[in-house]
Each structure stands twice: as C-alpha cells, then as structure tokens.
C-alpha cells in the first residue's frame, strides 16, 4: 500500500506541474507577445511616414512622429505587474489544492481502495483462517470463510508459487465451492510440482468433470483405478461422473464397488448406501414414467463479449412463443463450461400438466445469472431461439449475447 501512495503522489505532482506552470508564465508571455506586435506596427507606420515625407505629402512630419511614439508608449504593457499576477502564491496554492482534491476525491468515489483493504485484511489473516476452516473446523464455518481462505491462499501462492501442497489445497477448496475453473488451474499447477501426481489426479479429474471435460476426466480416473483398485476417492469421483451424466445404472454399479472394498464401520458407508437408494429411485421413476412429447437438443455457447463470473449458473428454459414468461420446462446447470449441449423435454416441466406439449410453439432461452437467481438481472446475459414447433424433435443452437 505504501508503494501505491508514493506512486499516486508522484502522479498528482506531475499533474499539478502541468496545470500550474502555464499559470506562472502565461500572463508574462502574453504581454511580451503584445508588445512585440505593437513595436512591429510602430516601425511599419514610422517607415510609411518617412516615405510620405520624402514625397512631400506631409506638412509637419515631426509632430506626426511624436504622436506615433506617444501611441506606442500607451499600448506597451508592463511585464512586471503581469508577472507578479501570474506568480501569485494564492493562485498557485488554489490550483494545487484543486488538483489534489479532484484526484483523490475521484479515487475515493470510484477507486477500489475498499476491495484492496479487504484483500489485505484477508491475506494477513491466513493463519487464523487456516486454523478455523482446516485445523479446528466447527459448525460456524461458512462458505464465506472458505472463500476468504482461498483468497488469502492465492495471494501467498502468488508470492511463493512453488508450494505444491498450497496448490493442492487451493484446488480442493475450490472443488468444495464447486468452482471447477479455479480447481482445474490450481491442480494442474500442483501436478507440475510433484513427483507423485497420483495424489492429484483424482481431484483433478473431478475438476475436469465439472468444467465439461468428461472424457479426459474418465481416462484419468480409470488410469488411477488400474494401479490402485482400492482407491475410494477415485471410485467416488467415478460414480459422481456417471451421476452427472444421468447414467444412474452405472453410478449404482460404481457405488456398489465402493461398498465391496469399504469397511462397514467407515463413516462414508451409510452415505454411499443413501446415494445408491437415490439413484435407484431416479432410475425407477424414469422407467415408470417414460418421457413423451418433443425433445430439444440445445447447443449453447457464449459470445466473446460475455464476461466470466466464477460461480455463475446457467438456466435453460422454454416459454410459450405466443406470450408469457412462465417457464414450461427448465434446467439449472452450475459451473457451466461452454460450448455445451443439453436436452430439454417434458421431463423437465415445472408443472407436469403445463409442459411443452401443452403449447403449439415455444421459445428456448439460455440465461447466465452470476447471482444464481434466474430473476436477478444483475450482470446477467441471455440468448434465445426462434419459434419451435412442439409436434417434433429439434436440434438447435442458442448463443448467449444479450445483456439483461
């Protein structure tokens, strides 16, 4: 912060010099220029009088020359008072005060000093945050605490970028907040700094799955399980990847594989059993109620002008093409990675009786909401399709390019 104040003071001083220096010499230079002009005019007029006298056109040329000299003396501007006025301490001090007030007043209103102060506070609290979140966690730990720890950790890693354990911890914390982009970048860095990349491959695969790189993620997990078939974390991520793709049967098979190698007294045993029950319920429901009606395969991408917001949520929904903003069917995707493709059908209806088939035509919208709330237009962007008939399946593309 000291460097900032030194640099800002230097810039303000340079600005003051640019403004004040013309005030110290402008009046004197103006007076000098006027006197030079009057002198040239006097000499030119004097020369004309001499020519007229030689031609005998003047009766009293001496009187005319005296009158011309008197006129020049009346027009001459004294340099000394003008210089004194230009160098008045009151004017200089007023100009300097105005420069300082405008410069720092503008920064006070528009600058990021509050964010800088908060960043410095969080960075200095890294030991306390680590103890509160990692070493002695309790029920008071919040997502905001984790975010502050990530900020402090990233600051330290910026200063000491060769800390493998720091990058690994940053990646795992980002995974906890479902920030796939940050997790992927941090874990990539950790893999380049360790001689045992297997310790990083599994969380790295999870980050890849979050950012839509499912094929790379699956190859990494399979590679780890080939060498370490008892790696429970790898099996857990493997099952999560199947669940993410709505392949409930495959997710159940992978969780059951976990139960076979996991002791029954393991605290995670009951959690895996609940996960299997959830997947079986989803599988049973899809079998009992087959989806009918139109299916829209939507490819979604963003324009280059759309800013990236960590934690933004993508909403894809269909509305009646003939009017109305109430979604008929909707999907909510956290941490979207573009381009991406999803399917929208009656299975995604908000109300079973008020679905896509209940309308003649629909419009599909894709909206990025940084706040995670579809109704909040703050920094939100949207794209939409044309009218789509509901009596047939369609493949379409939606480009998110319009701010709300």
């Amino acid at each position: 912060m000291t460097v900032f104040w030194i640099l800002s003071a230097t810039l303000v001083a340079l600005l003051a010099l640019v403004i004040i220096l013309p005030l110290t010499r402008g009046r004197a230079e103006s007076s000098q220029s006027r006197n030079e002009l009057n002198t040239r005019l006097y000499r030119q007029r004097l020369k004309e009088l001499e020519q007229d006298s030689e031609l005998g056109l003047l009766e009293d040329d001496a009187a005319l020359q005296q009158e011309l000299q008197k006129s020049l003396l009346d027009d001459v501007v004294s340099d000394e008072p003008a210089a004194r006025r230009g160098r008045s301490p009151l004017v200089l001090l007023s100009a300097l005060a105005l420069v300082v007030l405008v410069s720092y007043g503008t920064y006070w209103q528009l600058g990021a000093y509050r964010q800088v102060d908060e960043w410095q506070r969080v960075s200095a609290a890294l030991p306390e945050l680590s103890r509160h979140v990692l070493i002695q966690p309790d029920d008071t730990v919040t997502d905001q605490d984790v975010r502050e720890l990530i900020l402090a950790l990233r600051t330290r890693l910026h200063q000491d970028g060769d800390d493998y354990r720091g990058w690994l911890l940053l990646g795992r914390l980002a995974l906890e907040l479902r920030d796939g982009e940050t997790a992927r970048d941090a874990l990539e860095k950790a893999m380049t700094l360790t001689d045992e990349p297997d310790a990083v491959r599994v969380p790295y695969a999870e980050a890849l799955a979050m950012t839509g790189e499912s094929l790379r993620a699956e190859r990494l997990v399979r590679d780890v399980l080939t060498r370490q078939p008892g790696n429970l974390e790898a099996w857990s991520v493997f099952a999560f990847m199947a669940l993410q793709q709505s392949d409930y049967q495959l997710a159940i098979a992978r969780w059951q594989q976990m139960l076979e190698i996991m002791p029954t007294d393991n605290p995670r045993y009951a959690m895996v059993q609940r996960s299997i029950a959830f997947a079986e319920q989803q599988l049973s429901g899809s079998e009992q109620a087959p989806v009918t009606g139109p299916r829209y395969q939507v490819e979604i991408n963003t324009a280059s002008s759309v800013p990236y917001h960590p934690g933004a949520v993508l909403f894809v929904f269909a509305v009646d093409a003939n009017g109305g903003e109430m979604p008929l069917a909707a999907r909510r995707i956290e941490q979207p990675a573009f381009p991406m493709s999803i399917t929208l059908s009656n299975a995604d209806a908000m109300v079973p009786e008020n679905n896509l088939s209940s309308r003649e035509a629909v419009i599909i919208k894709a909206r990025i909401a940084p706040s995670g709330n579809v109704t909040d237009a703050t920094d939100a962007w949207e794209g939409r399709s044309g009218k789509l008939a509901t009596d047939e399946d369609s493949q379409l593309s939606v480009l998110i390019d319009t701010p709300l």
Side-chain angles (χ1 to χ4, degrees), residues 307-313 335 368 370 379 381:
Y308 169 72
H309 290 280
V313 177
Q335 299 294 329
I368 292 180
D379 296 326
W381 290 68

Side-chain angles (χ1 to χ4, degrees), residues 227-243:
R227 296 189 305 274
Q228 304 173 15
N231 190 318
L232 293 177
E233 184 182 12
W235 280 112
S236 178
V237 172
F238 214 20
F240 164 77
M241 291 166 56
L243 185 67

Side-chain angles (χ1 to χ4, degrees), residues 1 10 43 59 76 95 109 114 121-122 145 208 218 248 264 267 278 281-282 297 303 327 343 388 391 395 403:
M1 201 65 180
T10 302
R43 289 174 179 173
E59 296 182 357
V76 169
Q109 293 295 324
R114 297 180 183 87
R121 181 193 68 78
V122 170
D145 295 328
L208 290 176
E218 187 165 340
Y248 302 113
T264 56
F278 168 79
Q281 182 181 4
Q282 297 298 315
Q297 188 72 26
T343 300
L388 302 168
D391 57 356
Q395 291 184 346

Side-chain angles (χ1 to χ4, degrees), residues 157 164 166-172 174 180-191 200 204:
L157 289 172
Y164 149 72
W167 287 109
L168 178 59
L169 175 59
L170 176 60
R172 288 190 176 278
E181 297 282 348
T182 299
R184 181 195 62 193
D185 296 343
L187 293 168
E188 279 181 354
K189 182 68 173 180
M191 288 186 69
V200 187
Y204 181 49

Side-chain angles (χ1 to χ4, degrees), residues 49 101 117 152 201 239 343 351 367 388:
L49 289 176
L101 288 175
D117 287 343
R201 281 196 174 100
T343 300
V351 179
R367 180 179 299 175
L388 302 168

Side-chain angles (χ1 to χ4, degrees), residues 319-375:
V319 298
D320 190 346
N322 296 319
E325 291 296 323
M326 179 63 67
L328 304 172
R331 293 278 302 274
R332 185 181 193 274
I333 299 98
E334 296 185 359
Q335 299 294 329
F338 300 100
M340 67 182 306
S341 180
I342 70 164
T343 300
L344 200 64
S345 68
N346 283 337
D348 306 302
M350 306 295 289
V351 179
E353 297 78 15
N354 188 30
N355 55 27
L356 300 172
S357 300
S358 65
R359 300 294 191 274
E360 294 182 358
V362 297
I363 293 175
I364 293 180
K365 299 181 179 182
R367 180 179 299 175
I368 292 180
S371 66
N373 186 345
V374 69
T375 61

Side-chain angles (χ1 to χ4, degrees), residues 70-85:
K70 181 180 178 182
S71 175
L72 173 63
L73 291 176
D74 291 339
D75 289 339
V76 169
V77 178
S78 176
D79 290 342
E80 208 171 301
R84 284 199 301 268
R85 287 194 298 272

Side-chain angles (χ1 to χ4, degrees), residues 40-91:
R40 286 197 300 270
L41 292 174
Y42 166 76
R43 289 174 179 173
Q44 182 179 356
R45 182 59 180 155
L46 184 61
K47 186 176 180 181
E48 292 175 353
L49 289 176
E50 291 175 352
Q51 292 175 350
D52 291 344
S53 177
E54 291 175 357
L55 295 174
L57 300 176
L58 301 177
E59 296 182 357
D60 191 358
D61 56 338
L64 291 175
Q65 290 182 6
Q66 290 179 357
E67 184 67 25
L68 183 60
Q69 291 174 352
K70 181 180 178 182
S71 175
L72 173 63
L73 291 176
D74 291 339
D75 289 339
V76 169
V77 178
S78 176
D79 290 342
E80 208 171 301
R84 284 199 301 268
R85 287 194 298 272
R87 297 186 180 91
S88 171
L90 181 60
V91 173

